[in-house]
Coordinates of all heavy atoms in Angstrom, one line a residue:
F356 N 1.0 16.6 -18.9 CA 2.1 17.5 -19.1 C 2.8 17.2 -20.4 O 3.2 18.1 -21.1 CB 3.1 17.5 -18.0 CG 2.6 18.2 -16.7 CD1 2.5 17.5 -15.5 CD2 2.1 19.5 -16.8 CE1 2.1 18.1 -14.4 CE2 1.6 20.1 -15.6 CZ 1.6 19.4 -14.4
L359 N 0.7 18.6 -23.1 CA 0.8 20.1 -23.2 C 2.2 20.6 -23.6 O 2.5 21.8 -23.6 CB 0.5 20.7 -21.8 CG -0.9 20.3 -21.2 CD1 -1.0 21.0 -19.8 CD2 -1.9 20.8 -22.1
F361 N 5.4 19.4 -22.6 CA 6.6 19.1 -21.8 C 7.2 17.8 -22.4 O 6.6 16.9 -22.8 CB 6.2 18.8 -20.4 CG 5.7 20.1 -19.7 CD1 4.4 20.6 -19.9 CD2 6.5 20.7 -18.7 CE1 4.0 21.7 -19.2 CE2 6.1 21.8 -18.1 CZ 4.8 22.3 -18.3
T373 N 3.7 18.5 -8.3 CA 2.3 18.5 -7.9 C 2.0 17.5 -6.8 O 1.2 17.9 -5.9 CB 1.4 18.3 -9.1 OG1 1.7 17.0 -9.7 CG2 1.6 19.3 -10.2
C406 N -11.7 27.9 -8.7 CA -11.0 28.9 -9.4 C -9.8 28.3 -10.2 O -9.5 28.8 -11.3 CB -10.4 29.9 -8.4 SG -11.7 30.9 -7.5
C407 N -9.1 27.3 -9.7 CA -8.0 26.7 -10.3 C -8.4 26.0 -11.6 O -7.8 26.1 -12.7 CB -7.3 25.8 -9.4 SG -6.3 26.6 -8.1
M408 N -9.5 25.3 -11.5 CA -10.0 24.5 -12.7 C -10.4 25.5 -13.8 O -10.2 25.3 -15.0 CB -11.2 23.6 -12.4 CG -10.8 22.4 -11.6 SD -9.9 21.1 -12.6 CE -8.2 21.5 -12.1
V409 N -11.1 26.6 -13.4 CA -11.5 27.7 -14.4 C -10.2 28.3 -15.0 O -10.1 28.5 -16.3 CB -12.3 28.7 -13.8 CG1 -12.6 29.9 -14.7 CG2 -13.7 28.1 -13.4
A410 N -9.2 28.5 -14.2 CA -7.9 29.1 -14.7 C -7.3 28.2 -15.7 O -6.8 28.7 -16.8 CB -7.0 29.5 -13.5
V411 N -7.2 26.9 -15.4 CA -6.6 26.0 -16.4 C -7.4 26.0 -17.7 O -6.8 26.0 -18.8 CB -6.6 24.6 -15.8 CG1 -6.2 23.5 -16.8 CG2 -5.6 24.5 -14.6
A412 N -8.7 25.9 -17.6 CA -9.5 25.8 -18.8 C -9.4 27.1 -19.7 O -9.2 27.0 -20.9 CB -11.0 25.7 -18.4
V413 N -9.4 28.3 -19.0 CA -9.3 29.5 -19.8 C -7.9 29.6 -20.4 O -7.7 30.0 -21.6 CB -9.5 30.7 -18.9 CG1 -9.1 32.0 -19.6 CG2 -10.9 30.8 -18.4
T414 N -6.8 29.2 -19.7 CA -5.5 29.2 -20.3 C -5.3 28.3 -21.5 O -4.8 28.7 -22.5 CB -4.4 28.8 -19.2 OG1 -4.6 29.7 -18.0 CG2 -3.0 28.9 -19.7
L415 N -5.9 27.1 -21.4 CA -5.8 26.2 -22.5 C -6.6 26.7 -23.7 O -6.2 26.5 -24.8 CB -6.2 24.8 -22.0 CG -5.3 24.1 -21.0 CD1 -5.8 22.7 -20.7 CD2 -3.9 24.0 -21.5
L417 N -7.2 29.7 -24.5 CA -6.5 30.8 -25.2 C -5.2 30.5 -25.8 O -4.8 31.1 -26.8 CB -6.4 32.0 -24.2 CG -7.7 32.6 -23.6 CD1 -7.3 33.7 -22.6 CD2 -8.5 33.2 -24.8
K418 N -4.4 29.6 -25.2 CA -3.0 29.4 -25.5 C -2.7 28.1 -26.2 O -1.6 27.9 -26.7 CB -2.2 29.5 -24.3 CG -2.3 30.9 -23.6 CD -1.7 32.0 -24.5 CE -1.7 33.4 -23.8 NZ -1.1 34.4 -24.6
L425 N 3.1 24.8 -25.9 CA 2.9 26.0 -25.0 C 4.3 26.7 -24.8 O 5.3 26.0 -24.8 CB 2.3 25.5 -23.7 CG 0.9 25.0 -23.7 CD1 0.6 24.3 -22.3 CD2 -0.1 26.1 -24.0
S426 N 4.2 28.0 -24.5 CA 5.4 28.7 -24.2 C 5.8 28.3 -22.8 O 5.1 27.7 -22.0 CB 5.2 30.2 -24.2 OG 4.3 30.6 -23.2
K427 N 7.1 28.5 -22.4 CA 7.6 28.2 -21.1 C 6.9 28.9 -20.0 O 6.5 28.3 -19.0 CB 9.1 28.5 -21.1 CG 9.8 28.1 -19.7 CD 11.3 28.4 -19.7 CE 11.9 28.0 -18.4 NZ 13.4 28.3 -18.4
G428 N 6.5 30.1 -20.2 CA 5.8 30.9 -19.2 C 4.5 30.3 -18.9 O 4.0 30.2 -17.8
V429 N 3.7 30.0 -20.0 CA 2.4 29.4 -19.8 C 2.5 28.0 -19.2 O 1.7 27.7 -18.3 CB 1.7 29.3 -21.2 CG1 0.4 28.6 -21.0 CG2 1.4 30.7 -21.7
G430 N 3.5 27.3 -19.5 CA 3.7 25.9 -18.9 C 3.9 26.0 -17.5 O 3.4 25.3 -16.7
I431 N 4.8 27.0 -17.0 CA 5.1 27.2 -15.6 C 3.8 27.6 -14.9 O 3.5 27.2 -13.8 CB 6.2 28.2 -15.4 CG1 7.5 27.7 -15.9 CG2 6.3 28.6 -14.0 CD1 8.6 28.7 -15.9
F432 N 3.0 28.5 -15.5 CA 1.7 29.0 -14.9 C 0.8 27.8 -14.7 O 0.2 27.7 -13.6 CB 1.1 30.0 -15.8 CG -0.3 30.4 -15.4 CD1 -0.5 31.3 -14.3 CD2 -1.4 29.9 -16.0 CE1 -1.7 31.7 -13.9 CE2 -2.7 30.3 -15.6 CZ -2.8 31.1 -14.5
L433 N 0.7 26.8 -15.6 CA -0.2 25.7 -15.5 C 0.3 24.8 -14.4 O -0.5 24.3 -13.6 CB -0.2 24.9 -16.8 CG -1.1 25.5 -17.9 CD1 -0.9 24.7 -19.2 CD2 -2.5 25.6 -17.5
V434 N 1.6 24.6 -14.2 CA 2.2 23.8 -13.2 C 1.8 24.4 -11.8 O 1.4 23.7 -10.9 CB 3.7 23.6 -13.3 CG1 4.2 22.9 -12.0 CG2 4.0 22.7 -14.5
V435 N 2.0 25.7 -11.7 CA 1.7 26.4 -10.5 C 0.2 26.3 -10.1 O -0.2 26.0 -9.0 CB 2.1 27.9 -10.6 CG1 1.5 28.7 -9.4 CG2 3.6 28.1 -10.6
V436 N -0.7 26.5 -11.1 CA -2.1 26.5 -10.8 C -2.6 25.1 -10.5 O -3.4 24.9 -9.5 CB -2.9 27.0 -12.1 CG1 -4.4 26.7 -11.9 CG2 -2.7 28.4 -12.3
I437 N -2.0 24.1 -11.2 CA -2.4 22.7 -10.8 C -1.9 22.3 -9.4 O -2.5 21.6 -8.7 CB -1.8 21.7 -11.9 CG1 -2.6 21.9 -13.2 CG2 -1.9 20.3 -11.4 CD1 -2.1 21.0 -14.3
S438 N -0.7 22.9 -9.1 CA -0.2 22.6 -7.7 C -1.1 23.3 -6.6 O -1.3 22.7 -5.6 CB 1.3 23.2 -7.6 OG 2.1 22.5 -8.4
L439 N -1.6 24.5 -6.9 CA -2.5 25.1 -6.0 C -3.8 24.3 -5.9 O -4.4 24.2 -4.8 CB -2.8 26.6 -6.5 CG -1.7 27.6 -6.4 CD1 -2.1 28.9 -7.0 CD2 -1.3 27.8 -4.9
Y440 N -4.3 23.8 -7.0 CA -5.4 22.9 -7.0 C -5.2 21.7 -6.1 O -6.0 21.3 -5.3 CB -5.8 22.5 -8.4 CG -6.7 21.4 -8.5 CD1 -8.1 21.6 -8.4 CD2 -6.3 20.1 -8.8 CE1 -9.0 20.5 -8.5 CE2 -7.1 19.0 -8.9 CZ -8.5 19.2 -8.8 OH -9.3 18.2 -8.9

Side-chain angles (χ1 to χ4, degrees):
F356 286 125
L359 299 180
F361 291 75
T373 59
C406 294
C407 289
M408 286 290 97
V409 171
V411 170
V413 171
T414 302
L415 295 181
L417 296 176
K418 299 292 184 180
L425 292 172
S426 67
K427 183 177 180 180
V429 173
I431 291 174
F432 174 76
L433 285 174
V434 172
V435 170
V436 171
I437 290 176
S438 295
L439 290 174
Y440 165 81

